[in-house]
Short mmCIF file of all heavy atoms in Angstrom, two decimals:
data_model
loop_
_atom_site.label_atom_id
_atom_site.label_comp_id
_atom_site.label_asym_id
_atom_site.label_seq_id
_atom_site.Cartn_x
_atom_site.Cartn_y
_atom_site.Cartn_z
N GLU O 2 0.82 -1.20 -0.01
CA GLU O 2 -0.01 0.02 0.02
C GLU O 2 0.88 1.29 0.00
O GLU O 2 0.49 2.23 -0.59
CB GLU O 2 -0.93 -0.02 1.22
CG GLU O 2 -1.86 1.15 1.14
CD GLU O 2 -2.97 1.02 2.21
OE1 GLU O 2 -3.53 -0.05 2.38
OE2 GLU O 2 -3.19 2.04 2.87
N ILE O 3 1.98 1.28 0.68
CA ILE O 3 2.90 2.36 0.68
C ILE O 3 3.43 2.63 -0.71
O ILE O 3 3.48 3.77 -1.15
CB ILE O 3 4.02 2.15 1.68
CG1 ILE O 3 3.56 2.22 3.11
CG2 ILE O 3 5.13 3.23 1.53
CD1 ILE O 3 4.51 1.97 4.21
N ASN O 4 3.76 1.57 -1.41
CA ASN O 4 4.24 1.70 -2.82
C ASN O 4 3.17 2.42 -3.70
O ASN O 4 3.47 3.28 -4.55
CB ASN O 4 4.65 0.43 -3.35
CG ASN O 4 5.96 -0.13 -2.81
OD1 ASN O 4 6.76 0.70 -2.28
ND2 ASN O 4 6.17 -1.37 -2.90
N ALA O 5 1.86 1.95 -3.46
CA ALA O 5 0.81 2.62 -4.31
C ALA O 5 0.63 4.12 -3.92
O ALA O 5 0.48 4.91 -4.88
CB ALA O 5 -0.49 1.89 -4.01
N LEU O 6 0.78 4.41 -2.66
CA LEU O 6 0.77 5.79 -2.27
C LEU O 6 1.91 6.60 -2.89
O LEU O 6 1.74 7.72 -3.34
CB LEU O 6 0.70 5.97 -0.77
CG LEU O 6 -0.60 5.52 -0.05
CD1 LEU O 6 -0.43 5.55 1.48
CD2 LEU O 6 -1.79 6.29 -0.51
N ASN O 7 3.11 6.06 -2.81
CA ASN O 7 4.23 6.64 -3.33
C ASN O 7 4.06 6.95 -4.90
O ASN O 7 4.42 7.95 -5.44
CB ASN O 7 5.48 5.87 -3.10
CG ASN O 7 6.06 5.99 -1.68
OD1 ASN O 7 5.69 6.98 -1.11
ND2 ASN O 7 6.84 5.14 -1.20
N ALA O 8 3.46 5.92 -5.54
CA ALA O 8 3.22 6.08 -6.95
C ALA O 8 2.22 7.25 -7.28
O ALA O 8 2.36 7.94 -8.18
CB ALA O 8 2.70 4.77 -7.52
N GLN O 9 1.17 7.22 -6.36
CA GLN O 9 0.13 8.29 -6.50
C GLN O 9 0.74 9.68 -6.29
O GLN O 9 0.50 10.60 -7.03
CB GLN O 9 -0.95 8.10 -5.44
CG GLN O 9 -2.20 7.49 -6.02
CD GLN O 9 -3.31 7.48 -4.92
OE1 GLN O 9 -2.92 7.35 -3.74
NE2 GLN O 9 -4.48 7.54 -5.40
N ILE O 10 1.60 9.79 -5.33
CA ILE O 10 2.29 11.02 -4.97
C ILE O 10 3.22 11.46 -6.14
O ILE O 10 3.23 12.63 -6.58
CB ILE O 10 3.16 10.97 -3.66
CG1 ILE O 10 2.14 10.83 -2.45
CG2 ILE O 10 4.05 12.11 -3.50
CD1 ILE O 10 2.76 10.50 -1.13
N ALA O 11 3.90 10.46 -6.67
CA ALA O 11 4.80 10.75 -7.82
C ALA O 11 4.01 11.26 -9.05
O ALA O 11 4.42 12.24 -9.72
CB ALA O 11 5.61 9.56 -8.16
N THR O 12 2.89 10.54 -9.27
CA THR O 12 2.05 10.99 -10.40
C THR O 12 1.53 12.38 -10.20
O THR O 12 1.50 13.19 -11.17
CB THR O 12 0.97 9.99 -10.62
OG1 THR O 12 1.51 8.65 -10.88
CG2 THR O 12 0.00 10.37 -11.76
N ALA O 13 1.04 12.63 -9.03
CA ALA O 13 0.47 13.96 -8.71
C ALA O 13 1.54 15.01 -8.81
O ALA O 13 1.30 16.11 -9.31
CB ALA O 13 -0.14 13.96 -7.29
N SER O 14 2.72 14.70 -8.37
CA SER O 14 3.81 15.67 -8.44
C SER O 14 4.17 15.99 -9.89
O SER O 14 4.38 17.10 -10.29
CB SER O 14 5.03 15.12 -7.72
OG SER O 14 6.11 15.94 -7.80
N GLU O 15 4.17 14.89 -10.75
CA GLU O 15 4.44 15.17 -12.23
C GLU O 15 3.36 15.98 -12.81
O GLU O 15 3.64 16.88 -13.68
CB GLU O 15 4.54 13.84 -12.91
CG GLU O 15 5.77 13.03 -12.62
CD GLU O 15 5.82 11.68 -13.24
OE1 GLU O 15 4.94 11.37 -14.13
OE2 GLU O 15 6.66 10.88 -12.87
N GLU O 16 2.14 15.74 -12.50
CA GLU O 16 0.98 16.55 -13.04
C GLU O 16 1.08 17.98 -12.51
O GLU O 16 0.89 18.91 -13.35
CB GLU O 16 -0.31 15.93 -12.58
CG GLU O 16 -0.66 14.64 -13.23
CD GLU O 16 -1.90 13.95 -12.69
OE1 GLU O 16 -2.56 14.47 -11.76
OE2 GLU O 16 -2.29 12.90 -13.22
N GLN O 17 1.46 18.20 -11.26
CA GLN O 17 1.58 19.50 -10.74
C GLN O 17 2.68 20.26 -11.46
O GLN O 17 2.54 21.45 -11.84
CB GLN O 17 1.76 19.49 -9.25
CG GLN O 17 1.85 20.82 -8.57
CD GLN O 17 1.97 20.75 -7.10
OE1 GLN O 17 2.47 19.77 -6.55
NE2 GLN O 17 1.57 21.88 -6.41
N SER O 18 3.74 19.61 -11.67
CA SER O 18 4.91 20.19 -12.43
C SER O 18 4.54 20.54 -13.80
O SER O 18 4.87 21.62 -14.34
CB SER O 18 6.04 19.17 -12.43
OG SER O 18 7.19 19.75 -13.12
N SER O 19 3.78 19.67 -14.45
CA SER O 19 3.28 19.98 -15.79
C SER O 19 2.38 21.24 -15.88
O SER O 19 2.50 22.03 -16.71
CB SER O 19 2.63 18.73 -16.40
OG SER O 19 2.13 19.01 -17.64
N VAL O 20 1.47 21.26 -14.89
CA VAL O 20 0.58 22.44 -14.85
C VAL O 20 1.36 23.70 -14.58
O VAL O 20 1.06 24.74 -15.16
CB VAL O 20 -0.52 22.15 -13.78
CG1 VAL O 20 -1.34 23.43 -13.51
CG2 VAL O 20 -1.45 21.00 -14.29
N THR O 21 2.24 23.61 -13.70
CA THR O 21 3.14 24.77 -13.30
C THR O 21 3.84 25.28 -14.60
O THR O 21 3.91 26.51 -14.80
CB THR O 21 4.13 24.44 -12.25
OG1 THR O 21 3.32 24.00 -11.07
CG2 THR O 21 5.00 25.60 -11.89
N GLU O 22 4.41 24.44 -15.35
CA GLU O 22 5.09 24.75 -16.54
C GLU O 22 4.16 25.44 -17.48
O GLU O 22 4.47 26.45 -18.15
CB GLU O 22 5.77 23.58 -17.22
CG GLU O 22 6.53 23.84 -18.46
CD GLU O 22 7.23 22.63 -19.06
OE1 GLU O 22 7.34 21.60 -18.37
OE2 GLU O 22 7.55 22.71 -20.28
N GLU O 23 2.93 24.84 -17.68
CA GLU O 23 1.92 25.48 -18.55
C GLU O 23 1.55 26.84 -18.14
O GLU O 23 1.41 27.77 -18.91
CB GLU O 23 0.72 24.52 -18.69
CG GLU O 23 -0.27 24.94 -19.71
CD GLU O 23 -1.38 23.91 -19.87
OE1 GLU O 23 -1.15 22.74 -19.51
OE2 GLU O 23 -2.49 24.35 -20.31
N ILE O 24 1.41 27.04 -16.84
CA ILE O 24 1.11 28.36 -16.20
C ILE O 24 2.22 29.32 -16.54
O ILE O 24 1.94 30.49 -17.04
CB ILE O 24 0.77 28.29 -14.74
CG1 ILE O 24 -0.54 27.58 -14.48
CG2 ILE O 24 0.81 29.67 -14.07
CD1 ILE O 24 -0.77 27.23 -12.97
N ASN O 25 3.40 28.95 -16.37
CA ASN O 25 4.57 29.83 -16.67
C ASN O 25 4.59 30.23 -18.19
O ASN O 25 4.85 31.34 -18.48
CB ASN O 25 5.89 29.14 -16.36
CG ASN O 25 6.13 29.07 -14.83
OD1 ASN O 25 5.59 29.90 -14.09
ND2 ASN O 25 6.95 28.13 -14.38
N ILE O 26 4.27 29.27 -19.08
CA ILE O 26 4.25 29.58 -20.50
C ILE O 26 3.14 30.55 -20.77
O ILE O 26 3.32 31.61 -21.51
CB ILE O 26 4.06 28.28 -21.32
CG1 ILE O 26 5.27 27.47 -21.24
CG2 ILE O 26 3.63 28.58 -22.71
CD1 ILE O 26 5.12 26.02 -21.85
N ASN O 27 1.97 30.39 -20.14
CA ASN O 27 0.90 31.27 -20.36
C ASN O 27 1.19 32.69 -19.78
O ASN O 27 0.83 33.72 -20.45
CB ASN O 27 -0.39 30.76 -19.71
CG ASN O 27 -0.95 29.57 -20.56
OD1 ASN O 27 -0.73 29.44 -21.70
ND2 ASN O 27 -1.66 28.73 -19.78
N ILE O 28 1.85 32.76 -18.64
CA ILE O 28 2.19 34.03 -18.06
C ILE O 28 3.19 34.81 -18.95
O ILE O 28 3.01 35.96 -19.13
CB ILE O 28 2.70 33.84 -16.60
CG1 ILE O 28 1.58 33.51 -15.70
CG2 ILE O 28 3.44 35.10 -16.14
CD1 ILE O 28 2.03 33.12 -14.29
N THR O 29 4.14 34.09 -19.50
CA THR O 29 5.03 34.64 -20.43
C THR O 29 4.28 35.18 -21.67
O THR O 29 4.61 36.32 -22.17
CB THR O 29 6.09 33.59 -20.90
OG1 THR O 29 6.85 33.25 -19.67
CG2 THR O 29 7.11 34.26 -21.87
N ALA O 30 3.42 34.40 -22.20
CA ALA O 30 2.67 34.90 -23.40
C ALA O 30 1.82 36.18 -23.03
O ALA O 30 1.77 37.07 -23.79
CB ALA O 30 1.70 33.80 -23.88
N ILE O 31 1.21 36.12 -21.87
CA ILE O 31 0.47 37.29 -21.42
C ILE O 31 1.28 38.50 -21.25
O ILE O 31 0.93 39.56 -21.69
CB ILE O 31 -0.29 37.01 -20.10
CG1 ILE O 31 -1.49 36.02 -20.36
CG2 ILE O 31 -0.81 38.26 -19.48
CD1 ILE O 31 -2.04 35.41 -19.07
N SER O 32 2.44 38.26 -20.74
CA SER O 32 3.46 39.45 -20.57
C SER O 32 3.88 40.02 -21.96
O SER O 32 3.91 41.24 -22.17
CB SER O 32 4.68 38.89 -19.87
OG SER O 32 5.57 40.00 -19.80
N GLU O 33 4.15 39.11 -22.89
CA GLU O 33 4.48 39.54 -24.29
C GLU O 33 3.36 40.36 -24.91
O GLU O 33 3.56 41.35 -25.56
CB GLU O 33 4.95 38.42 -25.12
CG GLU O 33 6.25 37.80 -24.73
CD GLU O 33 6.54 36.48 -25.44
OE1 GLU O 33 5.79 36.01 -26.19
OE2 GLU O 33 7.61 35.98 -25.14
N ILE O 34 2.14 39.80 -24.80
CA ILE O 34 0.94 40.50 -25.36
C ILE O 34 0.80 41.84 -24.71
O ILE O 34 0.43 42.84 -25.33
CB ILE O 34 -0.28 39.63 -25.19
CG1 ILE O 34 -0.19 38.41 -26.18
CG2 ILE O 34 -1.50 40.40 -25.50
CD1 ILE O 34 -1.21 37.31 -25.93
N SER O 35 0.97 41.89 -23.34
CA SER O 35 0.84 43.21 -22.69
C SER O 35 1.89 44.17 -23.20
O SER O 35 1.56 45.40 -23.38
CB SER O 35 1.02 42.95 -21.15
OG SER O 35 0.04 42.19 -20.66
N ASP O 36 3.09 43.76 -23.41
CA ASP O 36 4.13 44.68 -23.91
C ASP O 36 3.71 45.14 -25.35
O ASP O 36 3.95 46.28 -25.67
CB ASP O 36 5.51 43.89 -24.03
CG ASP O 36 6.14 43.62 -22.74
OD1 ASP O 36 5.67 44.28 -21.67
OD2 ASP O 36 7.05 42.76 -22.60
N GLN O 37 3.25 44.28 -26.17
CA GLN O 37 2.85 44.63 -27.47
C GLN O 37 1.60 45.62 -27.42
O GLN O 37 1.59 46.64 -28.17
CB GLN O 37 2.34 43.44 -28.30
CG GLN O 37 3.51 42.53 -28.67
CD GLN O 37 3.01 41.24 -29.31
OE1 GLN O 37 1.79 40.93 -29.52
NE2 GLN O 37 3.90 40.32 -29.61
N THR O 38 0.69 45.44 -26.47
CA THR O 38 -0.42 46.34 -26.30
C THR O 38 0.04 47.69 -25.80
O THR O 38 -0.39 48.69 -26.37
CB THR O 38 -1.43 45.85 -25.28
OG1 THR O 38 -1.92 44.50 -25.70
CG2 THR O 38 -2.64 46.68 -25.06
N ALA O 39 0.99 47.68 -24.89
CA ALA O 39 1.54 48.98 -24.44
C ALA O 39 2.23 49.70 -25.57
O ALA O 39 2.13 50.93 -25.68
CB ALA O 39 2.49 48.75 -23.27
N GLU O 40 3.04 49.02 -26.36
CA GLU O 40 3.67 49.64 -27.49
C GLU O 40 2.68 50.22 -28.54
O GLU O 40 2.84 51.23 -29.04
CB GLU O 40 4.60 48.62 -28.21
CG GLU O 40 5.32 49.17 -29.43
CD GLU O 40 6.17 50.39 -29.09
OE1 GLU O 40 6.68 50.54 -27.97
OE2 GLU O 40 6.43 51.26 -30.07
N GLY O 41 1.60 49.44 -28.79
CA GLY O 41 0.51 49.93 -29.67
C GLY O 41 -0.15 51.17 -29.11
O GLY O 41 -0.42 52.10 -29.86
N ALA O 42 -0.35 51.21 -27.78
CA ALA O 42 -0.94 52.38 -27.21
C ALA O 42 -0.02 53.62 -27.31
O ALA O 42 -0.47 54.74 -27.52
CB ALA O 42 -1.21 52.08 -25.68
N ARG O 43 1.35 53.38 -27.08
CA ARG O 43 2.31 54.47 -27.30
C ARG O 43 2.26 54.98 -28.72
O ARG O 43 2.27 56.25 -28.96
CB ARG O 43 3.66 53.99 -26.89
CG ARG O 43 3.94 53.95 -25.36
CD ARG O 43 5.43 53.76 -25.07
NE ARG O 43 5.89 52.48 -25.46
CZ ARG O 43 5.73 51.37 -24.65
NH1 ARG O 43 5.18 51.47 -23.45
NH2 ARG O 43 6.16 50.20 -24.98
N GLN O 44 2.21 54.07 -29.70
CA GLN O 44 2.20 54.49 -31.07
C GLN O 44 0.90 55.25 -31.40
O GLN O 44 0.91 56.25 -32.13
CB GLN O 44 2.31 53.27 -31.98
CG GLN O 44 3.67 52.62 -31.92
CD GLN O 44 3.76 51.38 -32.75
OE1 GLN O 44 2.79 50.87 -33.33
NE2 GLN O 44 4.97 50.78 -32.85
N SER O 45 -0.15 54.79 -30.86
CA SER O 45 -1.48 55.52 -31.02
C SER O 45 -1.41 56.88 -30.47
O SER O 45 -1.89 57.89 -31.00
CB SER O 45 -2.63 54.73 -30.42
OG SER O 45 -2.80 53.52 -31.13
N SER O 46 -0.85 57.03 -29.28
CA SER O 46 -0.69 58.31 -28.61
C SER O 46 0.17 59.24 -29.42
O SER O 46 -0.14 60.41 -29.61
CB SER O 46 -0.05 58.12 -27.16
OG SER O 46 0.08 59.38 -26.59
N ASP O 47 1.31 58.73 -29.94
CA ASP O 47 2.20 59.52 -30.80
C ASP O 47 1.48 60.01 -32.03
O ASP O 47 1.57 61.19 -32.48
CB ASP O 47 3.44 58.72 -31.19
CG ASP O 47 4.35 58.49 -30.03
OD1 ASP O 47 4.17 59.13 -28.96
OD2 ASP O 47 5.30 57.60 -30.13
N ALA O 48 0.67 59.05 -32.68
CA ALA O 48 -0.07 59.42 -33.82
C ALA O 48 -1.05 60.45 -33.57
O ALA O 48 -1.30 61.41 -34.37
CB ALA O 48 -0.67 58.17 -34.46
N THR O 49 -1.78 60.39 -32.49
CA THR O 49 -2.77 61.29 -32.03
C THR O 49 -2.18 62.71 -31.84
O THR O 49 -2.78 63.72 -32.26
CB THR O 49 -3.47 60.89 -30.75
OG1 THR O 49 -4.14 59.65 -30.99
CG2 THR O 49 -4.47 61.87 -30.29
N GLU O 50 -0.95 62.71 -31.18
CA GLU O 50 -0.28 64.04 -31.02
C GLU O 50 0.13 64.65 -32.39
O GLU O 50 0.02 65.82 -32.55
CB GLU O 50 0.88 63.83 -30.11
CG GLU O 50 0.56 63.60 -28.69
CD GLU O 50 1.83 63.28 -27.80
OE1 GLU O 50 2.95 63.44 -28.26
OE2 GLU O 50 1.55 62.78 -26.62
N ASP O 51 0.63 63.76 -33.29
CA ASP O 51 0.97 64.35 -34.61
C ASP O 51 -0.21 64.87 -35.33
O ASP O 51 -0.21 65.89 -35.96
CB ASP O 51 1.62 63.15 -35.45
CG ASP O 51 3.00 62.74 -34.94
OD1 ASP O 51 3.64 63.51 -34.22
OD2 ASP O 51 3.49 61.69 -35.28
N LEU O 52 -1.31 64.10 -35.21
CA LEU O 52 -2.54 64.61 -35.95
C LEU O 52 -3.09 65.93 -35.32
O LEU O 52 -3.52 66.77 -36.00
CB LEU O 52 -3.64 63.50 -35.82
CG LEU O 52 -3.56 62.37 -36.77
CD1 LEU O 52 -4.54 61.33 -36.42
CD2 LEU O 52 -3.58 62.78 -38.19
N ALA O 53 -2.92 66.06 -34.02
CA ALA O 53 -3.33 67.27 -33.37
C ALA O 53 -2.53 68.42 -33.85
O ALA O 53 -2.97 69.57 -34.13
CB ALA O 53 -3.30 67.14 -31.85
N ARG O 54 -1.13 68.29 -33.97
CA ARG O 54 -0.19 69.27 -34.46
C ARG O 54 -0.55 69.66 -35.92
O ARG O 54 -0.51 70.82 -36.30
CB ARG O 54 1.25 68.75 -34.29
CG ARG O 54 1.81 68.99 -32.94
CD ARG O 54 3.28 68.81 -32.89
NE ARG O 54 3.70 67.42 -33.19
CZ ARG O 54 3.79 66.45 -32.30
NH1 ARG O 54 3.45 66.71 -30.95
NH2 ARG O 54 4.14 65.23 -32.56
N LEU O 55 -0.84 68.64 -36.69
CA LEU O 55 -1.20 68.96 -38.07
C LEU O 55 -2.57 69.63 -38.17
O LEU O 55 -2.64 70.58 -38.99
CB LEU O 55 -1.31 67.60 -38.84
CG LEU O 55 -0.03 66.87 -39.26
CD1 LEU O 55 -0.31 65.45 -39.76
CD2 LEU O 55 0.74 67.76 -40.23
N ALA O 56 -3.43 69.29 -37.40
CA ALA O 56 -4.75 70.05 -37.36
C ALA O 56 -4.57 71.54 -36.96
O ALA O 56 -5.14 72.44 -37.58
CB ALA O 56 -5.71 69.40 -36.50
N GLU O 57 -3.69 71.76 -36.00
CA GLU O 57 -3.43 73.14 -35.57
C GLU O 57 -2.74 73.89 -36.65
O GLU O 57 -3.08 75.05 -36.96
CB GLU O 57 -2.58 73.16 -34.29
CG GLU O 57 -3.30 72.73 -33.05
CD GLU O 57 -2.41 72.58 -31.85
OE1 GLU O 57 -1.28 72.96 -31.97
OE2 GLU O 57 -2.89 72.13 -30.80
N SER O 58 -1.77 73.26 -37.29
CA SER O 58 -1.11 73.87 -38.39
C SER O 58 -2.00 74.19 -39.52
O SER O 58 -1.95 75.30 -40.10
CB SER O 58 0.06 72.94 -38.89
OG SER O 58 0.77 73.44 -40.00
N MET O 59 -2.89 73.25 -39.89
CA MET O 59 -3.84 73.50 -40.95
C MET O 59 -4.80 74.60 -40.60
O MET O 59 -5.13 75.45 -41.50
CB MET O 59 -4.64 72.24 -41.28
CG MET O 59 -3.80 71.14 -41.99
SD MET O 59 -4.71 69.69 -42.38
CE MET O 59 -5.96 70.26 -43.42
N GLU O 60 -5.20 74.62 -39.39
CA GLU O 60 -6.18 75.66 -38.91
C GLU O 60 -5.42 77.02 -39.04
O GLU O 60 -6.12 78.06 -39.55
CB GLU O 60 -6.56 75.34 -37.53
CG GLU O 60 -7.71 76.32 -36.98
CD GLU O 60 -8.09 75.95 -35.62
OE1 GLU O 60 -7.97 74.74 -35.15
OE2 GLU O 60 -8.76 76.79 -35.01
N ALA O 61 -4.21 77.08 -38.68
CA ALA O 61 -3.49 78.41 -38.84
C ALA O 61 -3.33 78.83 -40.28
O ALA O 61 -3.45 79.90 -40.59
CB ALA O 61 -2.10 78.26 -38.10
N ASP O 62 -3.03 77.80 -41.11
CA ASP O 62 -2.86 78.12 -42.53
C ASP O 62 -4.20 78.54 -43.18
O ASP O 62 -4.28 79.50 -43.97
CB ASP O 62 -2.43 76.88 -43.27
CG ASP O 62 -0.95 76.51 -43.00
OD1 ASP O 62 -0.25 77.38 -42.46
OD2 ASP O 62 -0.52 75.39 -43.31
N ILE O 63 -5.30 77.89 -42.81
CA ILE O 63 -6.66 78.26 -43.35
C ILE O 63 -7.06 79.65 -42.83
O ILE O 63 -7.82 80.30 -43.52
CB ILE O 63 -7.68 77.14 -42.94
CG1 ILE O 63 -7.29 75.87 -43.79
CG2 ILE O 63 -9.06 77.58 -43.27
CD1 ILE O 63 -8.08 74.65 -43.33
N ALA O 64 -6.63 80.03 -41.66
CA ALA O 64 -7.04 81.31 -41.05
C ALA O 64 -6.61 82.48 -41.91
O ALA O 64 -7.16 83.54 -41.85
CB ALA O 64 -6.55 81.41 -39.60
N HIS O 65 -5.65 82.30 -42.75
CA HIS O 65 -5.12 83.32 -43.58
C HIS O 65 -6.10 83.60 -44.74
O HIS O 65 -6.00 84.64 -45.35
CB HIS O 65 -3.76 83.01 -44.15
CG HIS O 65 -2.66 82.85 -43.12
ND1 HIS O 65 -2.25 83.98 -42.46
CD2 HIS O 65 -2.05 81.76 -42.64
CE1 HIS O 65 -1.23 83.59 -41.65
NE2 HIS O 65 -1.11 82.23 -41.66
N TYR O 66 -7.00 82.64 -45.05
CA TYR O 66 -7.92 82.82 -46.11
C TYR O 66 -9.23 83.20 -45.64
O TYR O 66 -9.76 82.77 -44.65
CB TYR O 66 -8.05 81.54 -46.98
CG TYR O 66 -6.78 80.99 -47.52
CD1 TYR O 66 -6.03 79.98 -46.87
CD2 TYR O 66 -6.22 81.52 -48.70
CE1 TYR O 66 -4.86 79.54 -47.40
CE2 TYR O 66 -5.12 81.09 -49.25
CZ TYR O 66 -4.40 80.12 -48.61
OH TYR O 66 -3.18 79.67 -49.12
N LYS O 67 -9.82 84.16 -46.29
CA LYS O 67 -11.18 84.70 -45.90
C LYS O 67 -12.16 84.27 -47.04
O LYS O 67 -11.88 84.30 -48.25
CB LYS O 67 -11.22 86.21 -45.91
CG LYS O 67 -10.29 86.82 -44.86
CD LYS O 67 -10.82 86.61 -43.45
CE LYS O 67 -9.82 87.25 -42.47
NZ LYS O 67 -10.14 86.98 -41.17
N VAL O 68 -13.28 83.71 -46.60
CA VAL O 68 -14.27 83.25 -47.53
C VAL O 68 -15.37 84.29 -47.59
O VAL O 68 -15.76 84.90 -46.70
CB VAL O 68 -14.88 81.89 -47.13
CG1 VAL O 68 -15.90 81.48 -48.15
CG2 VAL O 68 -13.76 80.92 -47.04
#
């Protein structure tokens, strides 16, 4: 009976190790996706600032014309 319990413990330990490895892989993937999302947000912010500057510049240019 002790051998059976030892075998059960060994099997459970292997399963736990496998699940832990899978969790680590998933956490790494989530971290990479988070980094990509943050970079995308920075790029969007930069593009928004550029568009705002262009809009201000166009508004200043158009102000010179009277309709």
Side-chain angles (χ1 to χ4, degrees):
E2 185 170 314
I3 290 177
N4 287 339
L6 290 175
N7 282 340
Q9 258 185 329
I10 291 169
T12 300
S14 179
E15 288 175 13
E16 289 174 358
Q17 186 176 23
S18 180
S19 176
V20 168
T21 301
E22 184 179 340
E23 190 173 333
I24 289 170
N25 286 335
I26 290 169
N27 288 334
I28 288 173
T29 300
I31 289 168
S32 177
E33 290 171 358
I34 291 169
S35 295
D36 290 345
Q37 292 172 1
T38 301
E40 179 59 26
R43 280 191 291 277
Q44 289 176 356
S45 293
S46 177
D47 290 347
T49 300
E50 289 174 10
D51 289 345
L52 284 172
R54 280 192 291 275
L55 285 171
E57 288 175 9
S58 177
M59 286 179 63
E60 189 174 338
D62 290 344
I63 292 172
H65 295 290
Y66 300 100
K67 300 287 181 187
V68 180

